[in-house]
Amino acid sequence: MLSFNEAEFVAQTESLVALRPRIEEVVDRLLDEGYDNVLLVGAGGTYAQMWPYEHLARRTSTLPVRAAIAAELVVSGDARLGERTAAVFTSVSGTTEDSIKAIDHCKQRGAYTIGFTGHPDSPVAQRVDTALISAPKAWPFDVQMLLFMGRLLSRRGEFQGYDRLAGELAALPRVLVEVARRAEPVASDFAEAHKDTDYHFLIGGGNLWGFTYLYSMCILEEMQWLRTTRVHSAEFFHGSLELLEEDTSVIVFQGEDETRPLTDRAEAFARRVSKDVTVFDTRDYPLDGISPEFRGLLAPLVMDTVMDRVSKHLERVRDHSLDLRRYYRVMDY
Protein backbone atom coordinates (compact mmCIF):
# COMPACT_ATOMS: atom_id res chain seq x y z
CA MET A 1 0.00 0.00 0.00
CA LEU A 2 1.21 3.47 -0.91
CA SER A 3 2.99 5.27 1.97
CA PHE A 4 1.58 2.83 4.53
CA ASN A 5 3.86 1.60 7.28
CA GLU A 6 1.89 -1.37 8.56
CA ALA A 7 4.12 -2.06 11.55
CA GLU A 8 3.90 1.55 12.71
CA PHE A 9 0.15 1.67 12.11
CA VAL A 10 -0.42 -1.48 14.14
CA ALA A 11 1.83 -0.28 16.97
CA GLN A 12 0.04 3.06 17.13
CA THR A 13 -3.41 1.47 17.15
CA GLU A 14 -2.36 -1.03 19.81
CA SER A 15 -1.13 1.84 21.98
CA LEU A 16 -4.60 3.40 21.81
CA VAL A 17 -6.41 0.21 22.76
CA ALA A 18 -3.92 -0.34 25.59
CA LEU A 19 -5.12 2.88 27.25
CA ARG A 20 -8.38 1.20 28.27
CA PRO A 21 -7.45 0.51 31.94
CA ARG A 22 -6.19 4.06 32.48
CA ILE A 23 -9.21 5.59 30.79
CA GLU A 24 -11.61 3.50 32.87
CA GLU A 25 -9.74 4.41 36.04
CA VAL A 26 -10.05 8.11 35.24
CA VAL A 27 -13.74 7.86 34.32
CA ASP A 28 -14.57 5.92 37.48
CA ARG A 29 -12.79 8.51 39.59
CA LEU A 30 -14.69 11.36 37.93
CA LEU A 31 -18.03 9.72 38.55
CA ASP A 32 -17.18 8.71 42.11
CA GLU A 33 -16.13 12.28 42.91
CA GLY A 34 -19.33 13.81 41.55
CA TYR A 35 -18.32 15.46 38.28
CA ASP A 36 -21.59 16.09 36.50
CA ASN A 37 -20.81 17.64 33.11
CA VAL A 38 -18.25 17.04 30.37
CA LEU A 39 -16.58 19.47 28.01
CA LEU A 40 -14.87 18.08 24.90
CA VAL A 41 -12.39 20.69 23.70
CA GLY A 42 -10.43 20.79 20.46
CA ALA A 43 -9.20 22.92 17.59
CA GLY A 44 -9.70 22.13 13.92
CA GLY A 45 -9.55 18.39 13.41
CA THR A 46 -9.48 17.58 17.10
CA TYR A 47 -12.61 19.68 17.61
CA ALA A 48 -14.38 17.84 14.77
CA GLN A 49 -13.33 14.51 16.26
CA MET A 50 -15.25 15.35 19.42
CA TRP A 51 -18.59 15.59 17.61
CA PRO A 52 -19.35 11.85 17.35
CA TYR A 53 -19.03 11.55 21.13
CA GLU A 54 -21.13 14.60 21.87
CA HIS A 55 -23.60 13.06 19.41
CA LEU A 56 -23.48 9.70 21.24
CA ALA A 57 -24.11 11.33 24.61
CA ARG A 58 -26.92 13.49 23.27
CA ARG A 59 -28.69 10.41 21.85
CA THR A 60 -28.40 8.19 24.89
CA SER A 61 -27.75 10.26 28.02
CA THR A 62 -29.10 13.06 30.16
CA LEU A 63 -25.52 13.98 31.13
CA PRO A 64 -24.55 17.43 29.79
CA VAL A 65 -21.79 16.76 27.24
CA ARG A 66 -20.79 19.39 24.72
CA ALA A 67 -17.99 19.98 22.27
CA ALA A 68 -16.22 23.34 22.30
CA ILE A 69 -13.78 25.17 20.04
CA ALA A 70 -10.75 25.89 22.20
CA ALA A 71 -10.20 29.49 21.14
CA GLU A 72 -13.89 30.39 21.37
CA LEU A 73 -14.18 28.80 24.81
CA VAL A 74 -11.46 31.09 26.14
CA VAL A 75 -13.09 34.29 24.90
CA SER A 76 -16.77 33.38 25.29
CA GLY A 77 -16.75 31.06 28.28
CA ASP A 78 -19.31 28.41 29.16
CA ALA A 79 -21.88 28.83 31.93
CA ARG A 80 -21.51 25.22 33.11
CA LEU A 81 -17.71 25.28 33.26
CA GLY A 82 -16.64 24.93 36.88
CA GLU A 83 -15.48 22.63 39.65
CA ARG A 84 -17.77 19.78 38.58
CA THR A 85 -16.64 19.86 34.95
CA ALA A 86 -14.42 17.23 33.35
CA ALA A 87 -12.68 18.85 30.35
CA VAL A 88 -11.14 16.53 27.76
CA PHE A 89 -8.45 17.64 25.30
CA THR A 90 -6.70 15.90 22.40
CA SER A 91 -3.57 16.95 20.52
CA VAL A 92 -1.30 14.83 18.33
CA SER A 93 1.75 17.03 18.93
CA GLY A 94 0.75 18.27 22.37
CA THR A 95 1.67 21.79 21.24
CA THR A 96 -1.62 23.18 19.86
CA GLU A 97 -1.59 26.77 21.12
CA ASP A 98 -5.35 27.26 21.26
CA SER A 99 -5.78 24.06 23.25
CA ILE A 100 -3.02 25.01 25.70
CA LYS A 101 -4.77 28.32 26.42
CA ALA A 102 -8.08 26.50 26.83
CA ILE A 103 -6.53 24.07 29.33
CA ASP A 104 -5.35 27.01 31.42
CA HIS A 105 -8.78 28.61 31.12
CA CYS A 106 -10.56 25.46 32.31
CA LYS A 107 -8.17 24.91 35.20
CA GLN A 108 -8.60 28.49 36.36
CA ARG A 109 -12.31 27.77 36.69
CA GLY A 110 -11.75 24.62 38.69
CA ALA A 111 -12.38 22.00 36.02
CA TYR A 112 -10.57 18.66 36.02
CA THR A 113 -8.56 18.41 32.81
CA ILE A 114 -7.65 15.28 30.85
CA GLY A 115 -5.36 15.22 27.84
CA PHE A 116 -4.76 12.62 25.15
CA THR A 117 -1.48 13.00 23.24
CA GLY A 118 1.53 11.05 22.10
CA HIS A 119 4.14 13.25 23.78
CA PRO A 120 4.52 13.10 27.57
CA ASP A 121 6.83 16.11 27.72
CA SER A 122 4.59 18.35 25.60
CA PRO A 123 2.83 21.44 26.95
CA VAL A 124 -0.58 19.74 26.75
CA ALA A 125 0.61 16.70 28.71
CA GLN A 126 2.35 18.86 31.28
CA ARG A 127 -0.60 21.19 31.86
CA VAL A 128 -3.53 18.80 32.23
CA ASP A 129 -4.36 17.08 35.51
CA THR A 130 -4.18 13.67 33.87
CA ALA A 131 -2.29 12.91 30.66
CA LEU A 132 -3.01 9.67 28.81
CA ILE A 133 -0.13 8.96 26.47
CA SER A 134 -0.24 6.87 23.31
CA ALA A 135 2.46 6.16 20.75
CA PRO A 136 3.73 9.34 19.03
CA LYS A 137 1.72 10.51 16.04
CA ALA A 138 -1.13 8.08 16.79
CA TRP A 139 -4.27 9.30 15.05
CA PRO A 140 -7.24 9.55 15.18
CA PHE A 141 -8.48 9.88 18.78
CA ASP A 142 -11.67 7.90 18.25
CA VAL A 143 -10.51 4.85 20.21
CA GLN A 144 -9.76 6.91 23.31
CA MET A 145 -12.95 8.93 23.03
CA LEU A 146 -15.11 5.87 22.46
CA LEU A 147 -13.61 4.17 25.52
CA PHE A 148 -13.98 7.34 27.59
CA MET A 149 -17.56 8.05 26.61
CA GLY A 150 -18.58 4.40 26.53
CA ARG A 151 -17.32 3.78 30.08
CA LEU A 152 -18.90 7.01 31.30
CA LEU A 153 -22.32 6.23 29.88
CA SER A 154 -22.09 2.58 30.89
CA ARG A 155 -21.46 3.49 34.52
CA ARG A 156 -24.56 5.69 34.35
CA GLY A 157 -26.66 2.83 32.94
CA GLU A 158 -26.98 4.59 29.58
CA PHE A 159 -24.82 2.35 27.37
CA GLN A 160 -25.40 -1.38 26.98
CA GLY A 161 -22.59 -3.78 26.14
CA TYR A 162 -19.65 -1.53 26.89
CA ASP A 163 -17.41 -4.29 28.28
CA ARG A 164 -18.00 -6.41 25.18
CA LEU A 165 -17.30 -3.46 22.87
CA ALA A 166 -14.12 -2.53 24.75
CA GLY A 167 -12.94 -6.13 24.57
CA GLU A 168 -13.59 -6.33 20.85
CA LEU A 169 -11.46 -3.23 20.23
CA ALA A 170 -8.42 -5.48 20.74
CA ALA A 171 -9.06 -6.68 17.18
CA LEU A 172 -8.85 -3.14 15.75
CA PRO A 173 -5.20 -3.18 14.57
CA ARG A 174 -5.70 -6.11 12.18
CA VAL A 175 -9.27 -5.02 11.33
CA LEU A 176 -8.16 -1.56 10.23
CA VAL A 177 -5.18 -2.91 8.28
CA GLU A 178 -7.64 -5.01 6.29
CA VAL A 179 -9.85 -1.95 5.78
CA ALA A 180 -6.85 -0.04 4.42
CA ARG A 181 -5.95 -2.92 2.13
CA ARG A 182 -9.46 -3.14 0.68
CA ALA A 183 -9.64 0.64 0.26
CA GLU A 184 -6.36 0.88 -1.66
CA PRO A 185 -7.71 0.29 -5.21
CA VAL A 186 -10.76 2.46 -4.52
CA ALA A 187 -8.51 5.27 -3.32
CA SER A 188 -6.19 4.98 -6.30
CA ASP A 189 -9.09 5.07 -8.76
CA PHE A 190 -10.64 8.12 -7.08
CA ALA A 191 -7.35 10.02 -7.07
CA GLU A 192 -6.61 9.24 -10.71
CA ALA A 193 -10.09 10.38 -11.73
CA HIS A 194 -9.82 13.61 -9.70
CA LYS A 195 -6.21 14.66 -10.00
CA ASP A 196 -7.26 17.86 -11.77
CA THR A 197 -10.45 18.49 -9.79
CA ASP A 198 -10.11 21.73 -7.84
CA TYR A 199 -13.48 21.73 -6.04
CA HIS A 200 -15.28 19.03 -4.05
CA PHE A 201 -18.71 19.03 -2.39
CA LEU A 202 -18.78 16.83 0.74
CA ILE A 203 -21.87 15.38 2.45
CA GLY A 204 -22.10 13.44 5.71
CA GLY A 205 -24.30 13.08 8.76
CA GLY A 206 -24.68 11.48 12.17
CA ASN A 207 -21.41 10.43 13.71
CA LEU A 208 -19.68 11.02 10.37
CA TRP A 209 -20.53 14.72 10.22
CA GLY A 210 -17.41 15.52 12.24
CA PHE A 211 -15.29 13.51 9.82
CA THR A 212 -16.93 15.26 6.87
CA TYR A 213 -15.96 18.63 8.33
CA LEU A 214 -12.47 17.37 9.17
CA TYR A 215 -11.74 15.87 5.74
CA SER A 216 -13.01 18.97 3.98
CA MET A 217 -11.11 21.53 6.05
CA CYS A 218 -8.06 19.71 7.40
CA ILE A 219 -7.20 17.48 4.45
CA LEU A 220 -8.55 18.84 1.18
CA GLU A 221 -8.23 22.52 2.11
CA GLU A 222 -5.25 22.57 4.47
CA MET A 223 -3.17 19.74 3.03
CA GLN A 224 -4.12 19.91 -0.65
CA TRP A 225 -5.20 23.55 -1.08
CA LEU A 226 -8.46 22.52 -2.75
CA ARG A 227 -11.74 24.39 -2.52
CA THR A 228 -14.60 22.58 -0.83
CA THR A 229 -18.15 22.88 0.41
CA ARG A 230 -19.21 20.68 3.34
CA VAL A 231 -22.78 20.17 4.46
CA HIS A 232 -24.60 17.95 6.95
CA SER A 233 -26.89 15.56 5.10
CA ALA A 234 -29.86 16.78 7.16
CA GLU A 235 -29.11 20.36 6.07
CA PHE A 236 -28.32 19.60 2.43
CA PHE A 237 -31.77 20.66 1.20
CA HIS A 238 -31.66 24.01 2.97
CA GLY A 239 -29.29 25.89 0.68
CA SER A 240 -26.12 24.08 -0.29
CA LEU A 241 -27.79 21.91 -2.94
CA GLU A 242 -27.97 25.00 -5.18
CA LEU A 243 -24.21 24.70 -5.75
CA LEU A 244 -24.51 21.38 -7.57
CA GLU A 245 -23.85 21.24 -11.28
CA GLU A 246 -23.43 18.40 -13.74
CA ASP A 247 -19.66 18.22 -13.28
CA THR A 248 -19.49 18.88 -9.51
CA SER A 249 -17.44 16.31 -7.63
CA VAL A 250 -19.68 15.14 -4.80
CA ILE A 251 -18.16 13.02 -2.03
CA VAL A 252 -20.65 11.24 0.25
CA PHE A 253 -19.57 9.74 3.56
CA GLN A 254 -22.08 7.06 4.54
CA GLY A 255 -22.13 5.41 7.94
CA GLU A 256 -24.29 2.90 9.77
CA ASP A 257 -26.20 4.84 12.40
CA GLU A 258 -29.80 6.02 12.47
CA THR A 259 -29.04 9.01 10.21
CA ARG A 260 -28.19 6.80 7.23
CA PRO A 261 -31.55 7.53 5.49
CA LEU A 262 -30.79 11.25 5.60
CA THR A 263 -27.52 10.70 3.75
CA ASP A 264 -29.23 8.31 1.31
CA ARG A 265 -31.73 11.07 0.52
CA ALA A 266 -28.98 13.62 -0.16
CA GLU A 267 -27.05 11.14 -2.30
CA ALA A 268 -30.13 10.34 -4.38
CA PHE A 269 -30.69 14.01 -5.15
CA ALA A 270 -27.02 14.64 -5.91
CA ARG A 271 -27.06 11.85 -8.49
CA ARG A 272 -29.99 13.55 -10.25
CA VAL A 273 -27.78 16.57 -10.93
CA SER A 274 -24.12 15.54 -10.91
CA LYS A 275 -22.46 12.85 -12.98
CA ASP A 276 -19.55 12.72 -10.52
CA VAL A 277 -20.85 11.33 -7.21
CA THR A 278 -18.55 9.13 -5.12
CA VAL A 279 -19.87 7.29 -2.06
CA PHE A 280 -17.53 6.02 0.63
CA ASP A 281 -19.63 3.62 2.71
CA THR A 282 -18.41 1.90 5.86
CA ARG A 283 -20.76 -1.01 5.08
CA ASP A 284 -18.39 -2.00 2.29
CA TYR A 285 -15.75 -3.11 4.79
CA PRO A 286 -15.92 -6.29 6.87
CA LEU A 287 -14.92 -5.79 10.49
CA ASP A 288 -14.10 -9.31 11.62
CA GLY A 289 -14.37 -9.67 15.38
CA ILE A 290 -16.64 -6.63 15.80
CA SER A 291 -20.28 -7.29 16.69
CA PRO A 292 -22.82 -5.93 14.19
CA GLU A 293 -24.41 -3.63 16.77
CA PHE A 294 -21.10 -1.83 17.29
CA ARG A 295 -20.24 -1.23 13.64
CA GLY A 296 -21.98 2.13 13.57
CA LEU A 297 -19.94 3.39 16.50
CA LEU A 298 -16.73 2.56 14.64
CA ALA A 299 -17.73 4.38 11.45
CA PRO A 300 -15.43 7.40 12.12
CA LEU A 301 -12.42 5.08 12.59
CA VAL A 302 -13.23 3.05 9.47
CA MET A 303 -13.78 6.16 7.36
CA ASP A 304 -10.57 7.75 8.59
CA THR A 305 -8.67 4.62 7.52
CA VAL A 306 -10.34 4.57 4.09
CA MET A 307 -9.80 8.25 3.41
CA ASP A 308 -6.20 8.15 4.57
CA ARG A 309 -5.64 5.92 1.53
CA VAL A 310 -7.38 8.51 -0.65
CA SER A 311 -5.23 11.29 0.81
CA LYS A 312 -2.00 9.41 0.07
CA HIS A 313 -3.06 8.83 -3.52
CA LEU A 314 -4.13 12.46 -3.99
CA GLU A 315 -0.69 13.43 -2.71
CA ARG A 316 0.82 11.19 -5.39
CA VAL A 317 -1.23 12.18 -8.42
CA ARG A 318 -1.22 15.89 -7.60
CA ASP A 319 2.45 15.96 -6.60
CA HIS A 320 1.43 17.97 -3.54
CA SER A 321 2.84 16.83 -0.22
CA LEU A 322 0.36 16.41 2.63
CA ASP A 323 2.95 18.12 4.84
CA LEU A 324 3.19 21.30 2.74
CA ARG A 325 1.77 24.48 4.28
CA ARG A 326 1.80 28.13 3.26
CA TYR A 327 0.44 29.65 6.47
CA TYR A 328 -0.42 27.09 9.18
CA ARG A 329 2.41 27.08 11.74
CA VAL A 330 4.47 28.93 9.13
CA MET A 331 3.31 32.50 9.72
CA ASP A 332 2.35 34.27 12.93
CA TYR A 333 -1.36 34.86 13.41
Side-chain angles (χ1 to χ4, degrees), residues 70-131:
E72 183 181 51
L73 177 65
V74 172
V75 299
S76 297
D78 186 302
R80 285 187 176 270
L81 178 58
E83 294 181 355
R84 298 178 71 182
T85 302
V88 182
F89 298 81
T90 60
S91 175
V92 174
S93 67
T95 61
T96 309
E97 185 176 344
D98 285 352
S99 294
I100 293 167
K101 292 178 181 178
I103 291 169
D104 293 341
H105 176 79
C106 290
K107 293 187 72 172
Q108 288 168 7
R109 281 151 186 78
Y112 190 87
T113 56
I114 302 146
F116 292 103
T117 184
H119 298 277
D121 297 326
S122 66
V124 165
Q126 293 297 309
R127 273 178 163 82
V128 293
D129 295 301
T130 294

Side-chain angles (χ1 to χ4, degrees), residues 48-62:
Q49 277 201 343
M50 296 299 195
W51 297 355
Y53 309 101
E54 178 192 60
H55 178 72
L56 173 62
R58 190 169 64 247
R59 287 166 51 218
T60 64
S61 177
T62 58

Side-chain angles (χ1 to χ4, degrees), residues 63-226:
L63 179 71
V65 177
R66 66 269 190 216
I69 304 173
E72 183 181 51
L73 177 65
V74 172
V75 299
S76 297
D78 186 302
R80 285 187 176 270
L81 178 58
E83 294 181 355
R84 298 178 71 182
T85 302
V88 182
F89 298 81
T90 60
S91 175
V92 174
S93 67
T95 61
T96 309
E97 185 176 344
D98 285 352
S99 294
I100 293 167
K101 292 178 181 178
I103 291 169
D104 293 341
H105 176 79
C106 290
K107 293 187 72 172
Q108 288 168 7
R109 281 151 186 78
Y112 190 87
T113 56
I114 302 146
F116 292 103
T117 184
H119 298 277
D121 297 326
S122 66
V124 165
Q126 293 297 309
R127 273 178 163 82
V128 293
D129 295 301
T130 294
L132 298 167
I133 309 299
S134 63
K137 300 182 180 179
W139 171 274
F141 290 98
D142 292 281
V143 174
Q144 300 100 304
M145 293 307 304
L146 184 56
L147 287 168
F148 181 91
M149 196 57 62
R151 178 70 169 193
L152 185 65
L153 300 181
S154 177
R155 277 282 312 271
R156 288 172 50 86
E158 296 169 330
F159 185 98
Q160 300 301 313
Y162 166 75
D163 287 332
R164 187 157 51 88
L165 168 63
E168 291 180 6
L169 293 182
L172 266 183
R174 61 174 176 79
V175 165
L176 294 180
V177 167
E178 181 59 25
V179 168
R181 186 172 290 114
R182 286 175 177 261
E184 187 74 4
V186 176
S188 179
D189 290 347
F190 177 87
E192 292 290 350
H194 294 90
K195 61 184 177 182
D196 297 319
T197 302
D198 62 1
Y199 170 72
H200 297 275
F201 188 111
L202 289 78
I203 303 172
N207 69 355
L208 284 180
W209 168 234
F211 182 81
T212 305
Y213 177 95
L214 184 157
Y215 199 78
S216 171
M217 185 173 75
C218 301
I219 309 299
L220 295 181
E221 293 180 352
E222 177 186 327
M223 298 184 181
Q224 288 293 292
W225 304 352
L226 294 169

Side-chain angles (χ1 to χ4, degrees), residues 216-329:
S216 171
M217 185 173 75
C218 301
I219 309 299
L220 295 181
E221 293 180 352
E222 177 186 327
M223 298 184 181
Q224 288 293 292
W225 304 352
L226 294 169
R227 292 170 174 82
T228 72
T229 293
R230 49 192 172 264
V231 63
H232 194 292
S233 55
E235 284 288 273
F236 172 76
F237 293 99
H238 298 278
S240 295
L241 78 170
E242 293 295 339
L243 293 176
L244 294 187
E245 297 181 356
E246 185 178 75
D247 62 347
T248 302
S249 169
V250 180
I251 301 173
V252 180
F253 295 128
Q254 181 60 283
E256 301 175 55
D257 67 10
E258 71 284 351
T259 66
R260 187 178 177 94
L262 298 176
T263 304
D264 283 339
R265 182 179 65 156
E267 176 198 341
F269 183 90
R271 290 190 183 279
R272 290 168 57 186
V273 177
S274 173
K275 294 181 178 179
D276 186 8
V277 178
T278 304
V279 179
F280 294 100
D281 190 340
T282 62
R283 273 189 184 174
D284 293 338
Y285 299 90
L287 307 179
D288 294 338
I290 303 298
S291 298
E293 61 264 38
F294 299 141
R295 286 185 57 99
L297 292 172
L298 297 182
L301 264 171
V302 174
M303 196 61 73
D304 187 274
T305 303
V306 171
M307 296 309 294
D308 177 71
R309 298 290 81 223
V310 173
S311 301
K312 295 298 172 58
H313 281 281
L314 283 174
E315 177 181 52
R316 171 181 59 84
V317 300
R318 300 188 69 247
D319 192 27
H320 185 117
S321 170
L322 293 165
D323 296 322
L324 182 63
R325 305 288 187 276
R326 288 181 292 191
Y327 313 121
Y328 180 64
R329 298 202 177 197

